[in-house]
Amino acid sequence: MSIWEYANPVRFLALSAKVQPFAWGAAAIGISVGLIWGFFGTPDDFRQGATVKIIYLHVPAAWIAINAWIMMLLASLVWLVRRHHVSALAAKAAAPVGLVMTVIGLFTGAIWGQPMWGTWWAWDPRLTSFLILFLFYLGYIALWEAVEDPDTAADLTSVLCLVGSVFALMSRYAVLFWSQGLHQGASLSMDKQENISNVFWFPLVIAIAGFTLLFLALVLYRTGTEISLRRARALSARMEPRA
Amino acid sequence: MIPDLGKYATEVLSAYGVSLLLLAGLLARTLRRGKSARAALKQIEAETKRHGKV
């Protein structure tokens, strides 16, 4: 039994059908519990007031925005090295999900930044690399749409994904590279001293788990859609000479 | 029912409102596209079978 067995679309779809009910259900529970607990059941922060409640959307969305690109990078590398179509289609399927999460991260960040920093936006290393990541998502999706041959599109988007991964990593680690800018360090850390208070930590971790499972469910479903579209195109092409 | 958000009510409620709308839009678009793709494939598979090309 090897992971490469799931490069076969039939096997991938069979596994996906088994995983999806759990992923959708657990995502719904995780997001509901995390957001409801965070919104209704946590106190205001002594400095940030009620705006701290934005953390339950902002951090999970930014987490997925960055990690979706990392997942796309891994899938693109598999495509470039082993030419498995399912991996290229999984990367394609993940991009719109990552894009929406990036938009949520940017929007909630701006709306949180205005009352706390006195500005909607600052050319801070972390914010700027996150904005560039957003532009890479747009470029990646546009490139898939612009190139007619799916294999060529997969090649070109994979290379774009490799380049964009620099900005995905910078969005995460810019705070450590440059000790400048408005954005604070990580809200969650292996080092307990750096973590936010437990009262905010528990609902935040549940919300992050919910968003991660939603990402998994969406990518599995969307990859199934891409596989269906690819098969439909192949069958149509086979029918055409007779028409 | 809604907790007292003080002077930041607009910021917090709009962050939640817009984010949940975006997530709902993504979900709706994903399911609609998936449904139509699967229906189209079923139809083409049926046609292909009729023409004996599978």
Side-chain angles (χ1 to χ4, degrees), chain A residues 24 39-40 48 50-51 53 56-57 101 104 107-108 111 115-116 218 221-222 224-226 229 231-232 235-236 238-239 242, chain B residues 1 3 5 8 11-16 18-19 22-23 26-27 30-31 33-35 37-38 41 44-45 47-48 51 53:
Chain A
W24 285 114
F39 188 84
F40 293 99
Q48 304 187 52
T51 62
K53 293 182 193 297
Y56 308 108
L57 291 165
M101 295 298 177
I104 293 175
F107 178 76
T108 53
I111 215 158
M116 292 303 108
L218 282 167
Y221 185 84
R222 294 177 68 93
T225 302
E226 295 301 333
L229 288 170
R231 179 159 165 75
L235 288 176
S236 301
R238 253 193 267 171
M239 299 258 294
R242 198 179 265 203
Chain B
M1 184 69 187
L5 302 171
Y8 300 124
E11 284 86 350
V12 177
L13 291 177
S14 55
Y16 273 79
V18 171
S19 301
L22 283 169
L23 286 178
L26 172 69
L27 201 61
T30 295
L31 295 178
R33 188 161 178 266
K35 235 179 169 181
R38 283 162 178 84
L41 176 61
I44 292 171
E45 278 176 339
E47 275 176 39
T48 317
H51 288 90
K53 280 224 166 188

Tab-separated table of all heavy atoms in Angstrom, chain A residues 24 39-40 48 50-51 53 56-57 101 104 107-108 111 115-116 218 221-222 224-226 229 231-232 235-236 238-239 242, chain B residues 1 3 5 8 11-16 18-19 22-23 26-27 30-31 33-35 37-38 41 44-45 47-48 51 53:
chain	number	residue	atom	x	y	z
A	24	TRP	N	-16.600	17.257	6.423
A	24	TRP	CA	-17.666	18.283	6.406
A	24	TRP	C	-18.290	18.429	7.791
A	24	TRP	O	-18.491	19.541	8.289
A	24	TRP	CB	-18.771	17.921	5.400
A	24	TRP	CG	-18.413	18.130	3.965
A	24	TRP	CD1	-18.270	17.158	3.018
A	24	TRP	CD2	-18.149	19.364	3.277
A	24	TRP	NE1	-17.937	17.714	1.800
A	24	TRP	CE2	-17.862	19.058	1.929
A	24	TRP	CE3	-18.119	20.703	3.679
A	24	TRP	CZ2	-17.553	20.033	0.977
A	24	TRP	CZ3	-17.820	21.678	2.728
A	24	TRP	CH2	-17.538	21.339	1.405
A	39	PHE	N	-17.071	34.394	20.050
A	39	PHE	CA	-17.870	35.621	19.959
A	39	PHE	C	-18.677	35.878	21.235
A	39	PHE	O	-18.696	36.990	21.755
A	39	PHE	CB	-18.805	35.534	18.746
A	39	PHE	CG	-19.527	36.817	18.446
A	39	PHE	CD1	-18.915	37.803	17.682
A	39	PHE	CD2	-20.804	37.056	18.927
A	39	PHE	CE1	-19.560	38.996	17.410
A	39	PHE	CE2	-21.462	38.243	18.661
A	39	PHE	CZ	-20.840	39.214	17.898
A	40	PHE	N	-19.338	34.815	21.725
A	40	PHE	CA	-20.260	35.009	22.862
A	40	PHE	C	-19.627	34.709	24.214
A	40	PHE	O	-20.064	35.238	25.225
A	40	PHE	CB	-21.502	34.113	22.697
A	40	PHE	CG	-22.371	34.505	21.545
A	40	PHE	CD1	-22.291	33.832	20.333
A	40	PHE	CD2	-23.273	35.560	21.656
A	40	PHE	CE1	-23.092	34.188	19.259
A	40	PHE	CE2	-24.072	35.929	20.579
A	40	PHE	CZ	-23.978	35.239	19.381
A	48	GLN	N	-7.374	45.835	23.733
A	48	GLN	CA	-8.010	45.858	22.414
A	48	GLN	C	-9.529	45.898	22.481
A	48	GLN	O	-10.182	45.992	21.435
A	48	GLN	CB	-7.575	44.634	21.610
A	48	GLN	CG	-6.066	44.525	21.472
A	48	GLN	CD	-5.680	43.408	20.536
A	48	GLN	OE1	-6.166	43.332	19.407
A	48	GLN	NE2	-4.799	42.544	20.977
A	50	ALA	N	-13.357	44.869	22.436
A	50	ALA	CA	-14.088	43.790	21.757
A	50	ALA	C	-13.441	43.391	20.429
A	50	ALA	O	-13.777	42.339	19.876
A	50	ALA	CB	-15.525	44.228	21.527
A	51	THR	N	-12.513	44.209	19.909
A	51	THR	CA	-11.914	43.860	18.606
A	51	THR	C	-11.145	42.544	18.668
A	51	THR	O	-10.878	41.941	17.634
A	51	THR	CB	-10.961	44.964	18.093
A	51	THR	OG1	-9.891	45.106	19.029
A	51	THR	CG2	-11.661	46.279	17.888
A	53	LYS	N	-12.223	39.836	19.357
A	53	LYS	CA	-13.076	38.767	18.826
A	53	LYS	C	-12.803	38.514	17.336
A	53	LYS	O	-13.184	37.463	16.804
A	53	LYS	CB	-14.551	39.107	19.048
A	53	LYS	CG	-14.943	39.108	20.525
A	53	LYS	CD	-16.400	39.405	20.711
A	53	LYS	CE	-16.739	39.715	22.165
A	53	LYS	NZ	-16.510	38.605	23.085
A	56	TYR	N	-10.700	35.206	15.963
A	56	TYR	CA	-11.228	33.870	15.641
A	56	TYR	C	-11.515	33.695	14.150
A	56	TYR	O	-11.762	32.586	13.698
A	56	TYR	CB	-12.488	33.581	16.477
A	56	TYR	CG	-12.242	33.817	17.944
A	56	TYR	CD1	-12.803	34.914	18.601
A	56	TYR	CD2	-11.374	33.007	18.654
A	56	TYR	CE1	-12.534	35.161	19.933
A	56	TYR	CE2	-11.087	33.255	19.983
A	56	TYR	CZ	-11.671	34.329	20.619
A	56	TYR	OH	-11.377	34.576	21.939
A	57	LEU	N	-11.508	34.802	13.415
A	57	LEU	CA	-11.630	34.731	11.962
A	57	LEU	C	-10.280	34.996	11.311
A	57	LEU	O	-9.881	34.314	10.366
A	57	LEU	CB	-12.621	35.792	11.460
A	57	LEU	CG	-14.079	35.577	11.809
A	57	LEU	CD1	-14.856	36.858	11.579
A	57	LEU	CD2	-14.667	34.448	10.990
A	101	MET	N	-9.648	32.764	1.560
A	101	MET	CA	-9.083	32.887	2.911
A	101	MET	C	-8.132	34.093	2.989
A	101	MET	O	-8.074	34.785	4.014
A	101	MET	CB	-8.340	31.609	3.312
A	101	MET	CG	-9.231	30.404	3.435
A	101	MET	SD	-10.481	30.609	4.737
A	101	MET	CE	-11.410	29.093	4.554
A	104	ILE	N	-10.267	37.139	3.302
A	104	ILE	CA	-10.784	37.262	4.678
A	104	ILE	C	-9.667	37.754	5.615
A	104	ILE	O	-9.887	38.639	6.448
A	104	ILE	CB	-11.368	35.912	5.181
A	104	ILE	CG1	-12.623	35.555	4.384
A	104	ILE	CG2	-11.685	35.968	6.678
A	104	ILE	CD1	-13.210	34.184	4.707
A	107	PHE	N	-9.079	41.474	4.839
A	107	PHE	CA	-10.203	42.314	5.259
A	107	PHE	C	-10.276	42.424	6.788
A	107	PHE	O	-10.372	43.532	7.343
A	107	PHE	CB	-11.520	41.754	4.698
A	107	PHE	CG	-12.727	42.539	5.134
A	107	PHE	CD1	-13.012	43.764	4.551
A	107	PHE	CD2	-13.547	42.074	6.141
A	107	PHE	CE1	-14.108	44.506	4.974
A	107	PHE	CE2	-14.644	42.803	6.566
A	107	PHE	CZ	-14.926	44.025	5.981
A	108	THR	N	-10.223	41.280	7.460
A	108	THR	CA	-10.343	41.324	8.930
A	108	THR	C	-9.125	42.006	9.550
A	108	THR	O	-9.245	42.682	10.567
A	108	THR	CB	-10.517	39.905	9.516
A	108	THR	OG1	-9.459	39.072	9.024
A	108	THR	CG2	-11.841	39.286	9.144
A	111	ILE	N	-9.699	45.800	9.098
A	111	ILE	CA	-10.777	46.308	9.959
A	111	ILE	C	-10.367	46.255	11.447
A	111	ILE	O	-10.856	47.030	12.262
A	111	ILE	CB	-12.087	45.530	9.664
A	111	ILE	CG1	-13.271	46.464	9.803
A	111	ILE	CG2	-12.264	44.311	10.533
A	111	ILE	CD1	-14.481	46.003	9.071
A	115	PRO	N	-8.818	50.528	14.222
A	115	PRO	CA	-8.937	51.071	15.590
A	115	PRO	C	-7.700	50.836	16.461
A	115	PRO	O	-7.446	51.600	17.388
A	115	PRO	CB	-10.155	50.321	16.172
A	115	PRO	CG	-10.321	49.112	15.344
A	115	PRO	CD	-9.757	49.412	14.000
A	116	MET	N	-6.912	49.780	16.166
A	116	MET	CA	-5.766	49.460	17.034
A	116	MET	C	-4.491	50.199	16.635
A	116	MET	O	-3.717	50.647	17.464
A	116	MET	CB	-5.494	47.939	17.007
A	116	MET	CG	-6.582	47.105	17.658
A	116	MET	SD	-6.875	47.572	19.373
A	116	MET	CE	-8.450	48.384	19.264
A	218	LEU	N	-13.364	21.000	1.318
A	218	LEU	CA	-13.533	21.757	0.067
A	218	LEU	C	-12.572	21.268	-1.012
A	218	LEU	O	-12.954	21.095	-2.169
A	218	LEU	CB	-13.295	23.256	0.325
A	218	LEU	CG	-14.447	24.020	0.981
A	218	LEU	CD1	-13.977	25.387	1.468
A	218	LEU	CD2	-15.597	24.206	-0.001
A	221	TYR	N	-13.657	17.832	-2.346
A	221	TYR	CA	-14.839	17.948	-3.206
A	221	TYR	C	-14.471	18.606	-4.542
A	221	TYR	O	-14.872	18.146	-5.606
A	221	TYR	CB	-15.928	18.760	-2.492
A	221	TYR	CG	-17.220	18.821	-3.269
A	221	TYR	CD1	-18.149	17.793	-3.182
A	221	TYR	CD2	-17.502	19.903	-4.107
A	221	TYR	CE1	-19.330	17.840	-3.909
A	221	TYR	CE2	-18.682	19.952	-4.839
A	221	TYR	CZ	-19.591	18.921	-4.727
A	221	TYR	OH	-20.758	18.963	-5.451
A	222	ARG	N	-13.690	19.694	-4.464
A	222	ARG	CA	-13.337	20.434	-5.676
A	222	ARG	C	-12.407	19.625	-6.575
A	222	ARG	O	-12.458	19.740	-7.799
A	222	ARG	CB	-12.679	21.776	-5.314
A	222	ARG	CG	-13.624	22.744	-4.603
A	222	ARG	CD	-12.902	24.011	-4.201
A	222	ARG	NE	-12.531	24.750	-5.379
A	222	ARG	CZ	-13.273	25.721	-5.925
A	222	ARG	NH1	-14.398	26.078	-5.356
A	222	ARG	NH2	-12.869	26.330	-7.011
A	224	GLY	N	-12.579	16.416	-6.863
A	224	GLY	CA	-13.520	15.516	-7.526
A	224	GLY	C	-14.188	16.204	-8.712
A	224	GLY	O	-14.358	15.609	-9.784
A	225	THR	N	-14.527	17.480	-8.533
A	225	THR	CA	-15.128	18.254	-9.629
A	225	THR	C	-14.162	18.372	-10.799
A	225	THR	O	-14.540	18.177	-11.962
A	225	THR	CB	-15.497	19.678	-9.121
A	225	THR	OG1	-16.388	19.548	-8.017
A	225	THR	CG2	-16.125	20.507	-10.207
A	226	GLU	N	-12.900	18.689	-10.494
A	226	GLU	CA	-11.896	18.844	-11.558
A	226	GLU	C	-11.677	17.516	-12.295
A	226	GLU	O	-11.501	17.502	-13.511
A	226	GLU	CB	-10.570	19.356	-10.980
A	226	GLU	CG	-10.630	20.768	-10.393
A	226	GLU	CD	-11.047	21.832	-11.388
A	226	GLU	OE1	-10.812	21.645	-12.599
A	226	GLU	OE2	-11.642	22.835	-10.973
A	229	LEU	N	-14.594	17.054	-14.641
A	229	LEU	CA	-14.492	17.935	-15.813
A	229	LEU	C	-13.442	17.414	-16.789
A	229	LEU	O	-13.635	17.451	-18.006
A	229	LEU	CB	-14.128	19.364	-15.369
A	229	LEU	CG	-15.238	20.138	-14.653
A	229	LEU	CD1	-14.707	21.431	-14.051
A	229	LEU	CD2	-16.380	20.450	-15.624
A	231	ARG	N	-12.438	14.288	-17.172
A	231	ARG	CA	-12.941	13.066	-17.829
A	231	ARG	C	-13.996	13.430	-18.881
A	231	ARG	O	-14.027	12.850	-19.962
A	231	ARG	CB	-13.515	12.116	-16.775
A	231	ARG	CG	-14.067	10.845	-17.365
A	231	ARG	CD	-14.174	9.707	-16.383
A	231	ARG	NE	-15.031	8.638	-16.890
A	231	ARG	CZ	-14.680	7.764	-17.824
A	231	ARG	NH1	-13.470	7.809	-18.352
A	231	ARG	NH2	-15.528	6.824	-18.244
A	232	ALA	N	-14.841	14.406	-18.540
A	232	ALA	CA	-15.876	14.838	-19.497
A	232	ALA	C	-15.227	15.404	-20.766
A	232	ALA	O	-15.671	15.112	-21.883
A	232	ALA	CB	-16.784	15.880	-18.844
A	235	LEU	N	-13.770	12.480	-22.834
A	235	LEU	CA	-14.809	11.706	-23.527
A	235	LEU	C	-15.386	12.502	-24.690
A	235	LEU	O	-15.642	11.947	-25.764
A	235	LEU	CB	-15.923	11.317	-22.539
A	235	LEU	CG	-15.554	10.247	-21.510
A	235	LEU	CD1	-16.706	10.033	-20.526
A	235	LEU	CD2	-15.195	8.929	-22.177
A	236	SER	N	-15.570	13.808	-24.485
A	236	SER	CA	-16.092	14.655	-25.571
A	236	SER	C	-15.135	14.650	-26.746
A	236	SER	O	-15.548	14.576	-27.908
A	236	SER	CB	-16.269	16.090	-25.113
A	236	SER	OG	-17.133	16.139	-24.054
A	238	ARG	N	-13.137	12.320	-27.597
A	238	ARG	CA	-13.205	11.014	-28.268
A	238	ARG	C	-14.440	10.917	-29.155
A	238	ARG	O	-14.442	10.248	-30.164
A	238	ARG	CB	-13.242	9.900	-27.231
A	238	ARG	CG	-11.914	9.154	-27.177
A	238	ARG	CD	-12.065	7.882	-26.395
A	238	ARG	NE	-11.725	8.084	-24.996
A	238	ARG	CZ	-11.928	7.163	-24.043
A	238	ARG	NH1	-12.494	6.024	-24.350
A	238	ARG	NH2	-11.566	7.397	-22.817
A	239	MET	N	-15.516	11.594	-28.730
A	239	MET	CA	-16.773	11.540	-29.493
A	239	MET	C	-16.705	12.413	-30.737
A	239	MET	O	-17.368	12.136	-31.716
A	239	MET	CB	-17.928	12.047	-28.622
A	239	MET	CG	-18.161	11.257	-27.374
A	239	MET	SD	-19.542	10.151	-27.517
A	239	MET	CE	-20.907	11.283	-27.671
A	242	ARG	N	-16.642	11.461	-34.678
A	242	ARG	CA	-17.833	10.820	-35.229
A	242	ARG	C	-18.931	11.841	-35.531
A	242	ARG	O	-19.785	11.607	-36.370
A	242	ARG	CB	-18.343	9.791	-34.222
A	242	ARG	CG	-19.286	8.785	-34.826
A	242	ARG	CD	-19.709	7.809	-33.776
A	242	ARG	NE	-18.864	6.637	-33.837
A	242	ARG	CZ	-19.229	5.458	-33.380
A	242	ARG	NH1	-20.395	5.299	-32.812
A	242	ARG	NH2	-18.441	4.427	-33.467
B	1	MET	N	-28.850	39.247	23.572
B	1	MET	CA	-28.258	38.063	22.915
B	1	MET	C	-26.835	38.371	22.425
B	1	MET	O	-25.894	37.671	22.734
B	1	MET	CB	-29.163	37.641	21.742
B	1	MET	CG	-28.720	36.381	21.043
B	1	MET	SD	-28.920	34.916	22.082
B	1	MET	CE	-28.135	33.697	21.076
B	3	PRO	N	-23.346	40.076	22.554
B	3	PRO	CA	-22.605	40.696	23.662
B	3	PRO	C	-22.356	42.181	23.400
B	3	PRO	O	-22.364	42.624	22.248
B	3	PRO	CB	-21.287	39.910	23.674
B	3	PRO	CG	-21.172	39.285	22.332
B	3	PRO	CD	-22.551	39.080	21.831
B	5	LEU	N	-20.458	45.055	22.519
B	5	LEU	CA	-19.178	45.213	21.822
B	5	LEU	C	-18.643	46.641	21.964
B	5	LEU	O	-17.604	46.983	21.391
B	5	LEU	CB	-19.331	44.845	20.340
B	5	LEU	CG	-19.828	43.412	20.086
B	5	LEU	CD1	-20.162	43.213	18.619
B	5	LEU	CD2	-18.795	42.382	20.529
B	8	TYR	N	-16.641	49.286	19.452
B	8	TYR	CA	-16.093	48.527	18.314
B	8	TYR	C	-17.126	47.624	17.646
B	8	TYR	O	-16.762	46.719	16.888
B	8	TYR	CB	-14.900	47.688	18.770
B	8	TYR	CG	-13.771	48.503	19.342
B	8	TYR	CD1	-13.282	48.266	20.622
B	8	TYR	CD2	-13.182	49.531	18.599
B	8	TYR	CE1	-12.256	49.020	21.160
B	8	TYR	CE2	-12.153	50.295	19.120
B	8	TYR	CZ	-11.697	50.037	20.400
B	8	TYR	OH	-10.676	50.796	20.915
B	11	GLU	N	-16.932	47.422	13.763
B	11	GLU	CA	-15.757	46.689	13.267
B	11	GLU	C	-15.962	45.176	13.428
B	11	GLU	O	-15.756	44.406	12.491
B	11	GLU	CB	-14.488	47.102	14.027
B	11	GLU	CG	-13.926	48.443	13.621
B	11	GLU	CD	-14.567	49.605	14.369
B	11	GLU	OE1	-15.583	49.388	15.065
B	11	GLU	OE2	-14.059	50.735	14.244
B	12	VAL	N	-16.367	44.766	14.629
B	12	VAL	CA	-16.475	43.325	14.909
B	12	VAL	C	-17.600	42.709	14.077
B	12	VAL	O	-17.407	41.666	13.431
B	12	VAL	CB	-16.712	43.081	16.418
B	12	VAL	CG1	-16.909	41.601	16.703
B	12	VAL	CG2	-15.531	43.604	17.228
B	13	LEU	N	-18.758	43.366	14.053
B	13	LEU	CA	-19.891	42.781	13.321
B	13	LEU	C	-19.625	42.751	11.819
B	13	LEU	O	-19.980	41.780	11.146
B	13	LEU	CB	-21.179	43.552	13.629
B	13	LEU	CG	-21.688	43.384	15.066
B	13	LEU	CD1	-22.925	44.247	15.308
B	13	LEU	CD2	-21.997	41.918	15.386
B	14	SER	N	-18.984	43.794	11.290
B	14	SER	CA	-18.712	43.764	9.842
B	14	SER	C	-17.650	42.712	9.516
B	14	SER	O	-17.719	42.064	8.469
B	14	SER	CB	-18.338	45.137	9.295
B	14	SER	OG	-17.257	45.654	10.015
B	15	ALA	N	-16.667	42.497	10.403
B	15	ALA	CA	-15.662	41.444	10.173
B	15	ALA	C	-16.350	40.083	10.097
B	15	ALA	O	-16.087	39.291	9.181
B	15	ALA	CB	-14.616	41.451	11.287
B	16	TYR	N	-17.266	39.827	11.043
B	16	TYR	CA	-17.977	38.538	11.048
B	16	TYR	C	-18.920	38.424	9.850
B	16	TYR	O	-18.971	37.396	9.175
B	16	TYR	CB	-18.738	38.337	12.369
B	16	TYR	CG	-17.864	37.717	13.440
B	16	TYR	CD1	-16.942	38.479	14.152
B	16	TYR	CD2	-17.938	36.365	13.717
B	16	TYR	CE1	-16.121	37.911	15.118
B	16	TYR	CE2	-17.121	35.784	14.685
B	16	TYR	CZ	-16.220	36.560	15.386
B	16	TYR	OH	-15.408	35.974	16.332
B	18	VAL	N	-18.962	39.998	6.823
B	18	VAL	CA	-18.318	39.853	5.510
B	18	VAL	C	-17.618	38.492	5.394
B	18	VAL	O	-17.718	37.815	4.360
B	18	VAL	CB	-17.323	41.022	5.263
B	18	VAL	CG1	-16.486	40.780	4.015
B	18	VAL	CG2	-18.075	42.340	5.143
B	19	SER	N	-16.935	38.063	6.459
B	19	SER	CA	-16.214	36.781	6.399
B	19	SER	C	-17.181	35.612	6.203
B	19	SER	O	-16.925	34.724	5.376
B	19	SER	CB	-15.411	36.555	7.676
B	19	SER	OG	-14.493	37.593	7.850
B	22	LEU	N	-18.465	35.600	2.665
B	22	LEU	CA	-17.453	35.083	1.726
B	22	LEU	C	-17.381	33.558	1.804
B	22	LEU	O	-17.296	32.875	0.777
B	22	LEU	CB	-16.088	35.702	2.029
B	22	LEU	CG	-15.875	37.133	1.545
B	22	LEU	CD1	-14.604	37.735	2.142
B	22	LEU	CD2	-15.778	37.175	0.017
B	23	LEU	N	-17.409	33.019	3.028
B	23	LEU	CA	-17.351	31.558	3.184
B	23	LEU	C	-18.595	30.903	2.578
B	23	LEU	O	-18.494	29.871	1.902
B	23	LEU	CB	-17.230	31.184	4.666
B	23	LEU	CG	-15.868	31.421	5.323
B	23	LEU	CD1	-15.922	31.062	6.798
B	23	LEU	CD2	-14.769	30.622	4.632
B	26	LEU	N	-18.269	30.947	-1.198
B	26	LEU	CA	-17.315	29.922	-1.652
B	26	LEU	C	-17.963	28.543	-1.634
B	26	LEU	O	-17.839	27.764	-2.592
B	26	LEU	CB	-16.075	29.943	-0.739
B	26	LEU	CG	-15.061	28.825	-0.944
B	26	LEU	CD1	-14.340	28.974	-2.280
B	26	LEU	CD2	-14.023	28.810	0.184
B	27	LEU	N	-18.676	28.268	-0.558
B	27	LEU	CA	-19.341	26.970	-0.400
B	27	LEU	C	-20.405	26.777	-1.483
B	27	LEU	O	-20.469	25.716	-2.128
B	27	LEU	CB	-19.979	26.924	0.993
B	27	LEU	CG	-20.284	25.564	1.566
B	27	LEU	CD1	-19.020	24.750	1.718
B	27	LEU	CD2	-20.938	25.718	2.944
B	30	THR	N	-18.805	26.320	-4.913
B	30	THR	CA	-18.153	25.004	-4.995
B	30	THR	C	-19.190	23.911	-5.249
B	30	THR	O	-19.006	23.058	-6.130
B	30	THR	CB	-17.407	24.718	-3.662
B	30	THR	OG1	-16.360	25.675	-3.525
B	30	THR	CG2	-16.823	23.326	-3.627
B	31	LEU	N	-20.288	23.942	-4.502
B	31	LEU	CA	-21.302	22.891	-4.633
B	31	LEU	C	-22.032	22.995	-5.980
B	31	LEU	O	-22.303	21.989	-6.624
B	31	LEU	CB	-22.302	22.974	-3.470
B	31	LEU	CG	-21.697	22.679	-2.086
B	31	LEU	CD1	-22.738	22.836	-0.989
B	31	LEU	CD2	-21.076	21.287	-2.022
B	33	ARG	N	-20.883	24.307	-8.845
B	33	ARG	CA	-19.976	23.897	-9.927
B	33	ARG	C	-19.792	22.377	-9.913
B	33	ARG	O	-19.756	21.734	-10.961
B	33	ARG	CB	-18.628	24.617	-9.745
B	33	ARG	CG	-17.681	24.438	-10.901
B	33	ARG	CD	-16.596	25.507	-10.904
B	33	ARG	NE	-15.670	25.277	-11.990
B	33	ARG	CZ	-14.545	24.594	-11.872
B	33	ARG	NH1	-14.216	24.081	-10.696
B	33	ARG	NH2	-13.744	24.412	-12.905
B	34	GLY	N	-19.669	21.805	-8.717
B	34	GLY	CA	-19.479	20.366	-8.589
B	34	GLY	C	-20.679	19.600	-9.110
B	34	GLY	O	-20.537	18.606	-9.814
B	35	LYS	N	-21.861	20.098	-8.779
B	35	LYS	CA	-23.089	19.431	-9.215
B	35	LYS	C	-23.199	19.439	-10.732
B	35	LYS	O	-23.506	18.419	-11.358
B	35	LYS	CB	-24.292	20.175	-8.606
B	35	LYS	CG	-25.223	19.295	-7.821
B	35	LYS	CD	-26.353	20.147	-7.267
B	35	LYS	CE	-27.439	19.263	-6.715
B	35	LYS	NZ	-28.551	20.052	-6.204
B	37	ALA	N	-20.784	19.839	-12.949
B	37	ALA	CA	-19.716	19.055	-13.574
B	37	ALA	C	-20.053	17.568	-13.528
B	37	ALA	O	-19.882	16.845	-14.515
B	37	ALA	CB	-18.391	19.313	-12.858
B	38	ARG	N	-20.565	17.110	-12.393
B	38	ARG	CA	-20.889	15.687	-12.250
B	38	ARG	C	-22.076	15.306	-13.150
B	38	ARG	O	-22.101	14.220	-13.734
B	38	ARG	CB	-21.171	15.360	-10.778
B	38	ARG	CG	-19.882	15.258	-9.959
B	38	ARG	CD	-20.122	15.372	-8.466
B	38	ARG	NE	-18.910	15.230	-7.675
B	38	ARG	CZ	-18.043	16.200	-7.396
B	38	ARG	NH1	-18.253	17.429	-7.871
B	38	ARG	NH2	-16.963	15.975	-6.669
B	41	LEU	N	-20.781	15.107	-16.738
B	41	LEU	CA	-20.011	13.873	-16.951
B	41	LEU	C	-20.954	12.681	-17.116
B	41	LEU	O	-20.751	11.845	-18.013
B	41	LEU	CB	-19.048	13.638	-15.779
B	41	LEU	CG	-18.269	12.324	-15.841
B	41	LEU	CD1	-17.390	12.270	-17.087
B	41	LEU	CD2	-17.403	12.138	-14.594
B	44	ILE	N	-22.391	12.761	-20.596
B	44	ILE	CA	-21.428	12.387	-21.640
B	44	ILE	C	-21.122	10.891	-21.577
B	44	ILE	O	-21.004	10.230	-22.610
B	44	ILE	CB	-20.142	13.232	-21.508
B	44	ILE	CG1	-20.456	14.688	-21.845
B	44	ILE	CG2	-19.044	12.719	-22.406
B	44	ILE	CD1	-19.346	15.659	-21.542
B	45	GLU	N	-21.039	10.356	-20.362
B	45	GLU	CA	-20.783	8.917	-20.217
B	45	GLU	C	-21.933	8.109	-20.821
B	45	GLU	O	-21.718	7.095	-21.491
B	45	GLU	CB	-20.592	8.554	-18.739
B	45	GLU	CG	-19.175	8.842	-18.248
B	45	GLU	CD	-18.966	8.578	-16.771
B	45	GLU	OE1	-19.954	8.545	-16.014
B	45	GLU	OE2	-17.802	8.421	-16.368
B	47	GLU	N	-23.970	9.102	-23.213
B	47	GLU	CA	-23.890	9.250	-24.680
B	47	GLU	C	-22.800	8.365	-25.246
B	47	GLU	O	-22.977	7.724	-26.281
B	47	GLU	CB	-23.580	10.706	-25.036
B	47	GLU	CG	-24.807	11.587	-25.112
B	47	GLU	CD	-24.443	13.040	-25.365
B	47	GLU	OE1	-23.506	13.287	-26.147
B	47	GLU	OE2	-25.074	13.915	-24.744
B	48	THR	N	-21.662	8.336	-24.556
B	48	THR	CA	-20.534	7.525	-25.033
B	48	THR	C	-20.917	6.046	-25.050
B	48	THR	O	-20.570	5.324	-25.971
B	48	THR	CB	-19.305	7.730	-24.111
B	48	THR	OG1	-19.190	9.103	-23.822
B	48	THR	CG2	-18.034	7.271	-24.769
B	51	HIS	N	-23.009	5.272	-27.984
B	51	HIS	CA	-22.232	5.195	-29.229
B	51	HIS	C	-21.219	4.059	-29.183
B	51	HIS	O	-20.438	3.894	-30.123
B	51	HIS	CB	-21.501	6.514	-29.466
B	51	HIS	CG	-22.427	7.621	-29.870
B	51	HIS	ND1	-23.025	8.445	-28.942
B	51	HIS	CD2	-22.870	8.018	-31.077
B	51	HIS	CE1	-23.786	9.320	-29.592
B	51	HIS	NE2	-23.717	9.076	-30.884
B	53	LYS	N	-18.471	3.686	-27.321
B	53	LYS	CA	-17.071	4.119	-27.367
B	53	LYS	C	-16.327	3.899	-26.081
B	53	LYS	O	-15.180	4.321	-25.922
B	53	LYS	CB	-17.009	5.600	-27.728
B	53	LYS	CG	-17.180	5.846	-29.203
B	53	LYS	CD	-16.166	6.864	-29.664
B	53	LYS	CE	-16.079	6.872	-31.189
B	53	LYS	NZ	-15.000	7.686	-31.644
